[in-house]
Amino acid sequence: MTPEEFRARAHQLVDWMADYLAAPGERPIVPPVLPGDIARHLPPEAPERGEDFDAIFQDFERLIVPGMTQWNHPGWFAYFPANNSPPSILGEMLTATLGAQCMSWLTSPAATELEQVTMRWLGGLLGLPEGFTGVIQDTASTATLVALLSARERATSHRAGEVGLQAAGGPPLAVYASAEAHSSVPKGVKLAGFGLEMLRSIEVDRDFALRPAALEERIRRDLGAGIRPTCVVATVGTTSSTAVDPLEPIGRICREHGIWLHVDAAYAGAAAILPERRWIFEGIGHADSLVFNPHKWLLTNFDCSAFFVRDLPTLLRTFSAAPEYLRTPHDAVVANYRDWGIQLGRRFRALKLWFVLRSYGAEGLRAMLRRHIALAAEFRASLEARAGFEVLAPSPFGLVCFRHRPAGLSGEALDGHNRALLERVNADGSVYLTHTSLGGAYALRLAVGQWRTEPADVERALRLIFSAARSLHAEAP
Ligand code: PLP
């Protein structure tokens, strides 16, 4: 591709991108395809000869776009948002164009220094106390694994990393998290060598938040049995219902026993930039590490996960690897982010975040979060005002968990009814919700968090939910 051709194609694609963003909602949010439907139309082998760009782009429009699930859609209420925004998309374009690999300061000084600055900005916006240093990881799952590995290394004075967990001897190491913690916690516990049997699943209260008394009791029991409590993962905004584990009492327990406290605020952490939601981080001063995802609810394209750590020497000793070929003249005085996590090669993720933070300003980001929280509150109020609907958990952010509970239905029949309700609502194609299990009950989740979601989209979801409930009721035997 010549530079002139590149220029023309880039303009063509930018026009396509602007049209795509301007006209959501024409296709169903989840494409009506079956497994294998897309791959079947693609050749089994890579082309021997280069192809014409028009042909590639036509196939993109014809085969790929109709097979994409539209996370960008204003009717997206599923999971948590994986948001983006025009400034973030533009930042990603420039990252791709610069094509830098940002493993050390020398391999892209501006990328390292911009990451330091944006992480400091984020720490300030979240109101983090002094002592935390930030670094961008790809995802919250990776950040939690990084925290678990660091906790393991601190607890074994780096023997686990040096001679291996078994040879290190010493007491067995245990990790604690609520029964509502994200699946990245057991995954990390497995990968970090603790073993799933050493993950203590701590009971939650009726709002699905970890009960500190149950945590303390379990820690004391383990200590009595010669087990070393190593890490507690507290969740601020659980995946199922956005429950907030109380950091202050959990943190005090961790302090007393020298346990690493990692806070997983993957989704809800963004809300701490609102003074009226700052309470979610009460006690954060006790934490050793914290993760939250600008790629969820802060308008930044996937992937961008902000990880803050207090014990930097332990992190660096856990992840440093400096063979001769990676050494640079400034190693003693610069941040080489290859030593701050698992991967060596790193993308320039700070650029899109910088574009977002500057384009919207804290004020603009707060306005978006408040709009989403208000829309979720209105949705909740409408459900509560409607006979037969039940809200199943507190909703301090953009998520509402609920179910339809017609008289006479319970147990599996009630779960089946709500499963059918969800299917019927999603079949419309203009909104998309997902489900979870709360206290053993099948629950529907509506998460407001897409930047283009308007009141009309939430109203459409409500209408579809009410109408599906009516028609299922009418069809009941
Ligand atoms: N932690 C919580 C509480 C989450 O809700 C999620 C995802 O929804 C994750 C971790 C995992 O996030 P990531 O996809 O960035 O690994």
Side-chain angles (χ1 to χ4, degrees):
M1 200 178 268
T2 64
E4 275 323 300
E5 245 182 290
F6 174 78
R7 186 185 306 280
R9 293 307 187 183
H11 284 297
Q12 178 193 350
L13 294 203
V14 167
D15 283 342
W16 185 92
M17 288 157 66
D19 290 345
Y20 175 80
L21 291 177
E26 282 165 13
R27 288 184 312 281
I29 298 178
V30 177
V33 295
L34 292 172
D37 273 357
I38 292 150
R40 186 176 309 128
H41 295 285
L42 300 169
E45 281 166 13
E48 187 58 33
R49 297 182 131 198
E51 296 183 54
D52 181 57
F53 191 84
D54 281 327
I56 303 170
F57 189 65
Q58 274 165 20
D59 282 350
F60 167 75
E61 285 197 295
R62 187 174 62 90
L63 296 174
I64 306 302
V65 178
M68 292 300 291
T69 297
Q70 299 184 74
W71 285 71
N72 259 325
H73 195 286
W76 182 267
F77 298 116
Y79 307 107
F80 284 136
N83 232 325
N84 64 13
S85 60
S88 168
I89 295 168
L90 296 174
E92 279 283 51
M93 285 166 61
L94 296 184
T95 290
T97 305
L98 293 170
Q101 203 275 55
C102 310
M103 61 186 171
S104 56
W105 178 86
L106 188 75
T107 64
S108 280
T112 298
E113 295 189 15
L114 189 63
E115 186 160 333
Q116 290 173 311
V117 169
T118 50
M119 287 298 96
R120 247 179 266 131
W121 285 6
L122 273 188
L125 288 174
L126 298 176
L128 295 186
E130 287 294 307
F132 282 104
T133 312
V135 55
I136 302 180
Q137 305 281 354
D138 52 8
T139 60
S141 302
T142 300
T144 293
L145 176 59
V146 166
L148 287 165
L149 287 164
S150 304
R152 185 195 77 182
E153 289 306 288
R154 190 166 77 182
T156 64
S157 306
H158 296 277
R159 293 272 300 155
E162 277 153 26
V163 301
L165 256 183
Q166 277 171 331
L173 310 178
V175 176
Y176 306 77
S178 96
E180 294 288 317
H182 185 259
S183 60
S184 55
V185 178
K187 191 189 261 188
V189 162
K190 210 159 70 163
L191 295 175
F194 293 97
L196 281 179
E197 285 184 10
M198 298 309 286
L199 173 60
R200 310 318 197 195
S201 179
I202 306 299
E203 192 189 316
V204 292
D205 62 20
R206 62 195 182 99
D207 288 340
F208 306 102
L210 182 145
R211 284 188 51 235
L215 173 69
E216 188 156 32
E217 196 274 324
R218 186 66 220 234
I219 288 172
R220 289 198 187 285
R221 191 139 55 93
D222 279 343
L223 285 169
I227 289 165
R228 166 99 201 244
T230 302
C231 184
V232 171
V233 181
T235 312
V236 168
T238 57
T239 312
S240 278
S241 73
T242 65
V244 177
D245 292 347
L247 298 184
E248 181 59 42
I250 294 172
R252 269 191 267 113
I253 297 167
C254 290
R255 279 269 165 103
E256 184 188 338
H257 299 287
I259 304 170
W260 185 292
L261 173 58
H262 173 60
V263 176
D264 174 1
Y267 158 74
I273 73 169
L274 299 173
E276 66 272 26
R277 288 291 179 284
R278 192 55 68 74
W279 58 266
I280 64 177
F281 279 166
E282 206 176 298
I284 195 73
H286 297 300
D288 293 281
S289 55
L290 156 76
V291 62
F292 100 95
N293 284 347
H295 72 224
K296 277 190 163 55
W297 202 15
L298 216 58
L299 294 175
T300 309
N301 278 67
F302 192 88
D303 52 357
C304 182
S305 201
F307 179 61
F308 292 91
V309 66
R310 191 188 285 282
D311 184 353
L312 192 53
T314 291
L315 178 88
L316 294 178
R317 189 158 163 205
T318 302
F319 293 99
S320 290
E324 188 52 41
Y325 51 81
L326 290 178
R327 298 221 164 115
T328 68
H330 308 286
D331 283 353
V333 292
V334 295
N336 286 322
Y337 281 132
R338 63 167 196 258
D339 292 336
W340 293 53
I342 293 166
Q343 55 191 126
L344 169 67
R346 304 177 84 248
R347 278 163 32 73
F348 186 7
R349 298 191 186 91
L351 189 65
K352 60 190 168 188
L353 181 61
W354 189 52
F355 273 39
V356 166
L357 295 175
R358 291 188 62 184
S359 298
Y360 295 95
E363 215 177 71
L365 296 172
R366 288 192 195 105
M368 178 205 66
L369 294 170
R370 286 188 176 122
R371 196 162 50 78
H372 290 159
I373 292 171
L375 282 175
E378 283 163 28
F379 175 79
R380 181 187 174 110
S382 304
L383 283 183
E384 284 172 332
R386 186 90 170 191
F389 279 89
E390 192 179 28
V391 174
L392 296 170
S395 33
F397 309 107
L399 174 73
V400 182
C401 294
F402 65 99
R403 67 177 169 181
H404 183 227
R405 189 170 199 173
L409 279 190
S410 63
E412 181 43 43
L414 180 57
D415 288 351
H417 171 78
N418 279 283
R419 222 174 277 124
L421 181 90
L422 179 64
E423 255 176 47
R424 205 163 279 204
V425 169
N426 285 343
D428 183 77
S430 65
V431 300
Y432 187 54
L433 284 69
T434 48
H435 74 282
T436 190
S437 171
L438 277 178
Y442 184 92
L444 279 69
R445 296 168 81 263
L446 180 133
V448 184
Q450 226 299 320
W451 55 283
R452 289 177 307 177
T453 298
E454 296 288 340
D457 300 299
V458 179
E459 282 155 23
R460 183 172 337 100
L462 260 180
R463 273 201 310 278
L464 288 166
I465 291 163
F466 291 159
S467 127
R470 258 196 320 272
S471 58
L472 281 169
H473 190 250
E475 290 162 24

